[in-house]
Amino acid sequence: MRIDVITVLPKLFEGPFSDSILKRAQEKGLVEIHLHNLRDYSTDKHKNVDDYQYGGGAGMVMRIEPIASCIEALKKERTYDEIIYMTPDGELLEQGTSNRLSTFQNIIVLCGHYKGVDERVREIFITKEISIGSYVLSGGELAAAVMVDSIIRLIPGVLSDETSALTDSFQDHLLAPPVYTRPPEFQGHRVPEILLKGNFKEIEVWREEQALKRTQERRPDLLD
Ligand code: 6GU
């Protein structure tokens, strides 16, 4: 899979993409992440990518020309399955969204900033608009990093234990059950006896019960 990220702050991605699972996925050649600095596509002398909004009002708007020239350059090289705009008014990112996106060959992720992009960018180029939650971030970059992380870990071969993505919270609309490791007792808190006995059939049933209980208590909306 290839992911092209268009941003005014490419540095924000260097941390999250250069460690742990995301780093290994790139090293194994399972995913290519390409960062594009929008400023490189600006043709004016100050390399501006934003401007005042028509009609007045506080806050700058990202101009269409640099975005168009970046997206058009990318589209000349390959076909994209989805051109995604990260925006608080997009559809909420859910596990199912990431599952579907992880099956794609090429995607573009455009990070919004300031007051957002000129509406015509959305009309002309964008095929999908995504938000990661009902709160406002300073820009789309951190949201894009969250989304890209959730996609990449689903690509076959990225996780060392192939089954572990399937047992994640949300994958079956249930939260994950509690987990324990040594020691068997800490400050009077004991590991549930059933996990120590090693009857795998019973353990599986217990985990299912715990997942259901946890979901009912914390996220009953997932069960609807
Ligand atoms: Cl995608 N962008 C911004 N700026 N804020 C957000 C968001 C995205 N998702 C939730 N809040």
Coordinates of all heavy atoms in Angstrom, one line a residue, residues 38-97:
L38 N 3.1 21.0 1.3 CA 2.3 21.8 0.5 C 3.0 23.1 0.0 O 2.8 23.5 -1.2 CB 1.0 22.2 1.2 CG -0.2 22.7 0.3 CD1 -0.5 21.7 -0.8 CD2 -1.4 22.9 1.2
R39 N 3.8 23.6 0.8 CA 4.6 24.8 0.5 C 5.4 24.7 -0.8 O 5.6 25.6 -1.5 CB 5.5 25.2 1.6 CG 5.2 26.6 2.2 CD 5.9 26.8 3.5 NE 5.0 26.8 4.6 CZ 4.1 27.7 4.8 NH1 3.9 28.7 4.0 NH2 3.3 27.6 5.9
D40 N 5.9 23.4 -1.0 CA 6.7 23.2 -2.2 C 5.8 23.3 -3.5 O 6.4 23.4 -4.6 CB 7.2 21.7 -2.2 CG 8.2 21.6 -1.0 OD1 8.7 22.6 -0.5 OD2 8.4 20.4 -0.7
Y41 N 4.5 23.4 -3.4 CA 3.7 23.5 -4.5 C 3.1 24.9 -4.7 O 2.2 25.1 -5.6 CB 2.5 22.4 -4.5 CG 3.1 21.0 -4.6 CD1 3.5 20.4 -3.4 CD2 3.1 20.4 -5.8 CE1 4.1 19.1 -3.5 CE2 3.7 19.1 -5.9 CZ 4.1 18.5 -4.7 OH 4.7 17.2 -4.8
S42 N 3.5 25.8 -3.8 CA 3.0 27.2 -4.0 C 3.9 27.9 -4.9 O 5.2 27.8 -4.9 CB 3.1 27.8 -2.6 OG 2.8 29.2 -2.7
T43 N 3.3 28.7 -5.8 CA 4.1 29.4 -6.9 C 4.3 30.9 -6.5 O 5.0 31.5 -7.2 CB 3.4 29.3 -8.2 OG1 2.0 29.7 -8.1 CG2 3.4 27.8 -8.7
D44 N 3.7 31.4 -5.5 CA 3.9 32.8 -5.2 C 5.2 33.0 -4.5 O 5.8 32.1 -3.9 CB 2.7 33.4 -4.5 CG 2.5 33.0 -3.0 OD1 3.5 32.5 -2.4 OD2 1.4 33.1 -2.5
K45 N 5.7 34.2 -4.4 CA 7.0 34.5 -4.0 C 7.3 34.2 -2.5 O 8.4 33.9 -2.1 CB 7.6 35.9 -4.4 CG 6.8 37.0 -3.8 CD 7.6 38.3 -4.2 CE 7.0 39.6 -3.6 NZ 5.7 40.0 -4.3
H46 N 6.2 34.3 -1.7 CA 6.4 34.0 -0.3 C 6.0 32.5 0.1 O 6.0 32.2 1.2 CB 5.6 34.9 0.6 CG 6.0 36.4 0.4 ND1 7.2 36.8 0.7 CD2 5.3 37.4 -0.2 CE1 7.3 38.1 0.4 NE2 6.2 38.5 -0.1
K47 N 5.7 31.7 -0.9 CA 5.4 30.3 -0.7 C 4.1 30.2 0.2 O 4.0 29.2 0.9 CB 6.5 29.5 -0.1 CG 7.8 29.4 -1.0 CD 7.6 28.3 -2.0 CE 8.7 28.4 -3.1 NZ 8.3 27.7 -4.3
N48 N 3.2 31.1 0.0 CA 2.0 31.1 0.8 C 1.1 30.0 0.3 O 0.9 29.8 -0.8 CB 1.3 32.4 0.7 CG 1.8 33.5 1.7 OD1 2.4 33.1 2.7 ND2 1.6 34.7 1.4
V49 N 0.4 29.4 1.3 CA -0.6 28.3 0.9 C -2.0 28.7 1.4 O -2.9 28.0 1.2 CB -0.2 27.0 1.5 CG1 1.1 26.4 0.8 CG2 0.0 27.0 3.0
D50 N -2.0 29.9 2.1 CA -3.3 30.3 2.7 C -3.6 31.7 2.3 O -2.7 32.5 1.8 CB -3.4 30.1 4.2 CG -2.3 30.9 4.9 OD1 -1.3 31.2 4.3 OD2 -2.5 31.2 6.1
D51 N -4.9 32.2 2.5 CA -5.3 33.5 2.1 C -6.5 33.9 2.9 O -7.2 33.0 3.5 CB -5.5 33.6 0.6 CG -5.3 35.0 0.1 OD1 -5.3 36.0 0.9 OD2 -5.2 35.1 -1.1
Y52 N -6.9 35.2 2.9 CA -8.1 35.7 3.6 C -9.3 35.1 3.0 O -9.3 34.8 1.8 CB -8.1 37.2 3.6 CG -6.9 37.8 4.3 CD1 -5.8 38.3 3.6 CD2 -6.9 37.9 5.7 CE1 -4.7 38.9 4.2 CE2 -5.7 38.4 6.3 CZ -4.7 38.9 5.6 OH -3.6 39.4 6.2
Q53 N -10.3 34.9 3.8 CA -11.6 34.3 3.2 C -12.4 35.4 2.6 O -12.6 36.5 3.1 CB -12.3 33.5 4.2 CG -12.7 34.1 5.5 CD -13.5 33.2 6.4 OE1 -14.5 32.5 5.9 NE2 -13.2 33.1 7.7
Y54 N -13.0 35.0 1.5 CA -14.0 35.9 0.8 C -15.2 36.1 1.8 O -15.6 35.2 2.5 CB -14.6 35.3 -0.5 CG -13.7 35.5 -1.7 CD1 -13.2 34.4 -2.4 CD2 -13.4 36.7 -2.1 CE1 -12.4 34.6 -3.5 CE2 -12.6 36.9 -3.2 CZ -12.1 35.8 -3.9 OH -11.3 36.0 -5.0
G55 N -15.7 37.3 1.8 CA -16.9 37.6 2.7 C -16.4 38.1 4.1 O -17.3 38.4 4.9
G56 N -15.1 38.0 4.3 CA -14.6 38.5 5.6 C -14.7 37.4 6.7 O -15.3 36.3 6.5
G57 N -14.2 37.8 7.9 CA -14.2 36.8 9.0 C -12.8 36.4 9.4 O -11.9 36.5 8.6
A58 N -12.7 36.0 10.7 CA -11.4 35.7 11.2 C -10.9 34.3 10.6 O -11.8 33.5 10.4 CB -11.4 35.6 12.7
G59 N -9.6 34.2 10.4 CA -9.1 32.9 10.0 C -8.8 32.8 8.6 O -9.5 33.3 7.7
M60 N -7.7 32.1 8.3 CA -7.2 32.0 6.9 C -7.8 30.7 6.3 O -8.2 29.8 7.0 CB -5.7 31.9 6.9 CG -5.0 33.1 7.6 SD -5.3 34.7 6.8 CE -4.1 34.6 5.5
V61 N -7.8 30.7 5.0 CA -8.3 29.5 4.2 C -7.2 29.0 3.3 O -6.4 29.7 2.7 CB -9.5 29.9 3.4 CG1 -10.0 28.7 2.5 CG2 -10.7 30.4 4.3
M62 N -7.1 27.6 3.3 CA -6.0 27.1 2.4 C -6.4 27.2 0.9 O -7.5 26.8 0.6 CB -5.8 25.6 2.8 CG -5.1 25.4 4.1 SD -5.1 23.8 4.7 CE -3.8 23.1 3.7
R63 N -5.5 27.8 0.1 CA -5.8 28.1 -1.3 C -5.9 26.8 -2.1 O -5.2 25.8 -1.8 CB -4.7 29.0 -1.8 CG -4.8 30.4 -1.1 CD -3.6 31.2 -1.6 NE -3.4 31.0 -3.0 CZ -2.2 30.9 -3.6 NH1 -1.1 30.8 -2.9 NH2 -2.2 30.7 -4.9
I64 N -6.6 26.9 -3.2 CA -6.8 25.7 -4.0 C -5.6 25.4 -4.9 O -5.3 24.2 -5.1 CB -8.1 25.8 -4.9 CG1 -8.5 24.4 -5.4 CG2 -8.0 26.8 -5.9 CD1 -9.9 24.3 -6.0
E65 N -4.9 26.4 -5.4 CA -3.9 26.1 -6.4 C -2.8 25.1 -6.0 O -2.5 24.2 -6.7 CB -3.3 27.4 -7.0 CG -4.2 28.3 -7.8 CD -4.7 29.4 -7.0 OE1 -4.9 29.3 -5.8 OE2 -4.7 30.5 -7.6
P66 N -2.1 25.4 -4.8 CA -1.1 24.5 -4.4 C -1.6 23.0 -4.2 O -0.9 22.1 -4.5 CB -0.6 25.1 -3.1 CG -1.1 26.5 -3.0 CD -2.3 26.5 -3.8
I67 N -2.8 22.9 -3.6 CA -3.4 21.6 -3.3 C -3.7 20.9 -4.7 O -3.3 19.8 -4.8 CB -4.7 21.8 -2.5 CG1 -4.4 22.3 -1.1 CG2 -5.4 20.4 -2.4 CD1 -5.6 22.7 -0.3
A68 N -4.3 21.7 -5.6 CA -4.6 21.1 -6.9 C -3.3 20.7 -7.6 O -3.3 19.6 -8.2 CB -5.3 22.1 -7.8
S69 N -2.3 21.5 -7.5 CA -1.1 21.1 -8.3 C -0.4 19.9 -7.7 O 0.1 19.0 -8.4 CB -0.2 22.3 -8.5 OG 0.9 22.3 -7.7
C70 N -0.4 19.7 -6.3 CA 0.1 18.5 -5.7 C -0.7 17.3 -6.0 O -0.2 16.3 -6.4 CB 0.1 18.8 -4.2 SG 0.9 17.4 -3.3
I71 N -2.0 17.4 -5.9 CA -2.9 16.2 -6.2 C -2.8 15.8 -7.7 O -2.7 14.6 -8.0 CB -4.4 16.5 -5.8 CG1 -4.5 16.6 -4.3 CG2 -5.3 15.4 -6.3 CD1 -5.9 17.0 -3.8
E72 N -2.8 16.8 -8.5 CA -2.7 16.5 -10.0 C -1.4 15.8 -10.3 O -1.3 14.9 -11.1 CB -2.9 17.7 -10.8 CG -4.4 18.0 -11.0 CD -4.7 19.5 -11.4 OE1 -3.7 20.3 -11.6 OE2 -5.9 19.8 -11.5
A73 N -0.3 16.3 -9.7 CA 1.0 15.6 -9.9 C 1.0 14.2 -9.5 O 1.5 13.3 -10.2 CB 2.1 16.4 -9.2
L74 N 0.4 13.9 -8.3 CA 0.3 12.5 -7.8 C -0.6 11.7 -8.7 O -0.2 10.5 -9.1 CB -0.2 12.5 -6.4 CG 0.7 13.1 -5.3 CD1 0.0 13.2 -4.0 CD2 1.9 12.2 -5.2
K75 N -1.7 12.2 -9.2 CA -2.7 11.5 -10.0 C -2.1 11.1 -11.4 O -2.5 10.2 -12.0 CB -4.0 12.2 -10.1 CG -4.9 12.1 -8.9 CD -6.1 13.0 -9.0 CE -7.2 12.3 -9.8 NZ -8.5 13.1 -9.6
K76 N -1.1 11.9 -11.8 CA -0.5 11.6 -13.1 C 0.4 10.3 -13.0 O 0.6 9.6 -14.0 CB 0.4 12.8 -13.5 CG 0.2 13.3 -14.9 CD 1.1 14.4 -15.2 CE 0.2 15.7 -15.5 NZ 0.9 16.9 -15.2
E77 N 0.9 10.0 -11.8 CA 1.8 8.9 -11.6 C 1.0 7.6 -11.4 O 1.6 6.5 -11.6 CB 2.7 9.2 -10.4 CG 3.6 10.4 -10.5 CD 4.6 10.2 -11.7 OE1 5.1 9.1 -11.9 OE2 4.8 11.2 -12.4
R78 N -0.2 7.7 -10.8 CA -0.9 6.4 -10.4 C -2.3 6.7 -10.2 O -2.7 7.9 -10.0 CB -0.2 5.7 -9.2 CG -0.3 6.5 -7.9 CD 0.7 6.0 -6.9 NE 2.1 6.2 -7.3 CZ 2.7 7.4 -7.2 NH1 2.0 8.5 -6.8 NH2 3.9 7.6 -7.6
T79 N -3.1 5.6 -10.1 CA -4.5 5.8 -9.8 C -4.8 5.7 -8.3 O -4.2 4.8 -7.6 CB -5.3 4.7 -10.5 OG1 -5.0 4.7 -11.8 CG2 -6.8 4.9 -10.4
Y80 N -5.6 6.6 -7.7 CA -5.9 6.5 -6.3 C -7.2 6.0 -6.0 O -8.2 6.3 -6.7 CB -5.7 7.9 -5.7 CG -4.2 8.3 -5.6 CD1 -3.6 8.9 -6.6 CD2 -3.5 7.9 -4.4 CE1 -2.2 9.2 -6.5 CE2 -2.1 8.2 -4.3 CZ -1.5 8.9 -5.4 OH -0.2 9.1 -5.3
D81 N -7.3 5.1 -5.0 CA -8.6 4.5 -4.6 C -9.4 5.5 -3.8 O -10.7 5.4 -3.8 CB -8.3 3.3 -3.7 CG -7.5 2.2 -4.4 OD1 -8.0 1.7 -5.4 OD2 -6.3 2.0 -4.0
E82 N -8.8 6.4 -3.1 CA -9.5 7.4 -2.3 C -8.6 8.6 -2.1 O -7.4 8.5 -1.9 CB -9.9 6.7 -0.9 CG -11.1 7.2 -0.3 CD -12.4 6.6 -0.8 OE1 -12.9 5.6 -0.3 OE2 -13.0 7.2 -1.7
I83 N -9.2 9.8 -2.1 CA -8.5 11.0 -1.8 C -9.3 11.6 -0.6 O -10.4 12.1 -0.7 CB -8.5 12.0 -3.0 CG1 -7.8 11.3 -4.2 CG2 -7.8 13.3 -2.6 CD1 -7.7 12.2 -5.4
I84 N -8.6 11.5 0.6 CA -9.3 11.8 1.9 C -8.9 13.1 2.4 O -7.7 13.5 2.4 CB -8.9 10.7 2.9 CG1 -9.3 9.3 2.3 CG2 -9.5 10.9 4.2 CD1 -8.6 8.1 3.1
Y85 N -9.9 13.9 2.9 CA -9.6 15.1 3.5 C -9.9 15.0 5.0 O -11.0 14.6 5.4 CB -10.5 16.2 2.9 CG -10.5 17.6 3.6 CD1 -9.3 18.2 3.9 CD2 -11.6 18.3 3.9 CE1 -9.2 19.4 4.6 CE2 -11.6 19.5 4.5 CZ -10.4 20.1 4.8 OH -10.4 21.3 5.4
M86 N -8.9 15.3 5.9 CA -9.1 15.2 7.3 C -9.7 16.5 7.8 O -9.2 17.6 7.7 CB -7.7 15.0 8.0 CG -6.9 13.8 7.6 SD -7.8 12.2 7.6 CE -8.2 12.1 9.4
T87 N -10.9 16.4 8.4 CA -11.7 17.6 8.8 C -12.7 17.2 9.9 O -13.3 16.1 9.9 CB -12.4 18.2 7.6 OG1 -13.3 19.3 8.0 CG2 -13.3 17.1 6.9
P88 N -12.8 18.2 10.8 CA -13.8 17.9 12.0 C -15.2 17.7 11.5 O -16.0 17.1 12.2 CB -13.7 19.1 12.9 CG -12.6 20.0 12.3 CD -12.1 19.4 11.0
D89 N -15.6 18.1 10.3 CA -16.9 17.9 9.8 C -17.1 16.7 8.9 O -18.1 16.5 8.2 CB -17.6 19.1 9.2 CG -16.8 19.7 8.0 OD1 -15.8 19.0 7.5 OD2 -17.2 20.7 7.5
G90 N -16.0 15.8 8.9 CA -16.1 14.6 8.1 C -16.8 13.5 8.8 O -17.3 13.7 10.0
E91 N -16.9 12.3 8.2 CA -17.6 11.2 8.8 C -16.7 10.6 9.9 O -15.4 10.7 9.7 CB -18.0 10.1 7.8 CG -16.8 9.3 7.3 CD -17.2 8.1 6.4 OE1 -17.7 8.4 5.3 OE2 -17.0 7.0 6.7
L92 N -17.2 10.1 11.0 CA -16.4 9.6 12.1 C -15.6 8.4 11.7 O -16.2 7.4 11.1 CB -17.3 9.3 13.3 CG -17.6 10.4 14.3 CD1 -18.3 9.8 15.5 CD2 -16.3 11.1 14.8
L93 N -14.3 8.4 12.0 CA -13.5 7.2 11.7 C -13.9 6.1 12.7 O -13.9 6.3 13.9 CB -12.0 7.6 12.0 CG -11.0 6.5 11.8 CD1 -10.9 6.0 10.3 CD2 -9.6 6.9 12.2
E94 N -14.2 4.9 12.1 CA -14.5 3.7 12.9 C -13.7 2.6 12.4 O -13.1 2.6 11.3 CB -16.0 3.4 12.7 CG -16.9 4.6 13.1 CD -18.2 4.2 13.7 OE1 -18.1 3.7 14.9 OE2 -19.2 4.4 13.1
Q95 N -13.7 1.5 13.2 CA -12.8 0.3 12.8 C -13.2 -0.1 11.4 O -12.3 -0.4 10.6 CB -13.1 -0.8 13.8 CG -12.1 -2.0 13.6 CD -10.6 -1.6 13.8 OE1 -10.3 -0.9 14.8 NE2 -9.8 -1.9 12.9
G96 N -14.4 -0.1 11.0 CA -14.8 -0.6 9.7 C -14.2 0.3 8.6 O -13.9 -0.2 7.5
T97 N -14.1 1.6 8.9 CA -13.5 2.5 7.9 C -12.1 2.1 7.7 O -11.6 2.0 6.5 CB -13.5 4.0 8.4 OG1 -14.7 4.2 9.2 CG2 -13.3 5.0 7.3

